[in-house]
Amino acid sequence: MTAPASTIPEVKAYLVELITTAVNDPTVLVCYDDPGTNQPDDIIAVRDIEQTLAPFELVGGGGPGWLYETYKVEIVVDVYRGGDFPRLVFERACALVAIVENAIRADPSFAGLVVTARPAGTHYASAWEDDGKGRTCAAAMTVDVEARN
């Protein structure tokens, strides 16, 4: 018997498409994992996932619906602006985080892929860019997901 497949691959791809549609701004790069050499001032990356598995039912043969899966998806919003405008950079990061959160909250089942998904928290870290030419803000978001396979 083949073990039930995880929802992780479909959910990660779904999040990239969902965020791209919600942001609707060609100047914002929405990417699957970290960006390559194309690094505009605003980047949203659907990144790491931490998964936990448990049986949903203790009876049965382990077929479809038997496995309960929870995981955390990390989404990182990176904003950069040249010069010394920390408030502008932070507020742009907050605005992009709000777009992502609202898109997730609008359909917490991810079009039926999961039982539920929800924004679970965000950590904002602001700093000078490495060369001192501008400001950055990285907002690391966590999305909690529950699924049955």
Side-chain angles (χ1 to χ4, degrees):
M1 176 192 297
T2 303
S6 172
T7 60
I8 289 174
E10 292 87 1
V11 165
K12 192 166 182 176
Y14 179 84
L15 278 168
V16 171
E17 291 301 318
L18 177 73
I19 294 166
T20 300
T21 301
V23 170
N24 193 26
D25 182 345
T27 66
V28 177
L29 174 63
V30 179
C31 52
Y32 192 103
D33 294 327
D34 288 331
T37 56
N38 173 25
Q39 296 197 8
D41 290 348
D42 297 332
I43 302 169
I44 301 174
V46 180
R47 295 188 43 194
D48 299 338
I49 296 175
E50 181 181 337
Q51 177 191 43
T52 303
L53 297 171
F56 185 75
E57 300 174 26
L58 295 177
V59 296
W66 183 77
L67 193 61
Y68 179 71
E69 173 181 46
T70 61
Y71 49 94
K72 297 178 181 302
V73 180
E74 179 187 42
I75 299 172
V76 178
V77 173
D78 279 312
V79 175
Y80 166 80
R81 296 293 184 274
D84 188 11
F85 305 100
R87 181 177 177 176
L88 174 75
V89 173
F90 178 73
E91 289 178 353
R92 175 62 173 165
C94 289
L96 291 173
V97 165
I99 291 170
V100 174
E101 286 178 349
N102 287 332
I104 292 167
R105 291 172 56 191
D107 181 10
S109 76
F110 289 172
L113 289 173
V114 300
V115 174
T116 187
R118 66 176 183 82
T122 304
H123 173 80
Y124 295 89
S126 298
W128 276 102
E129 183 262 338
D130 289 341
D131 295 329
K133 296 178 182 177
R135 293 284 190 156
T136 65
C137 183
M141 305 174 62
T142 301
V143 177
D144 286 348
V145 179
E146 297 177 35
R148 278 183 63 191
N149 303 319

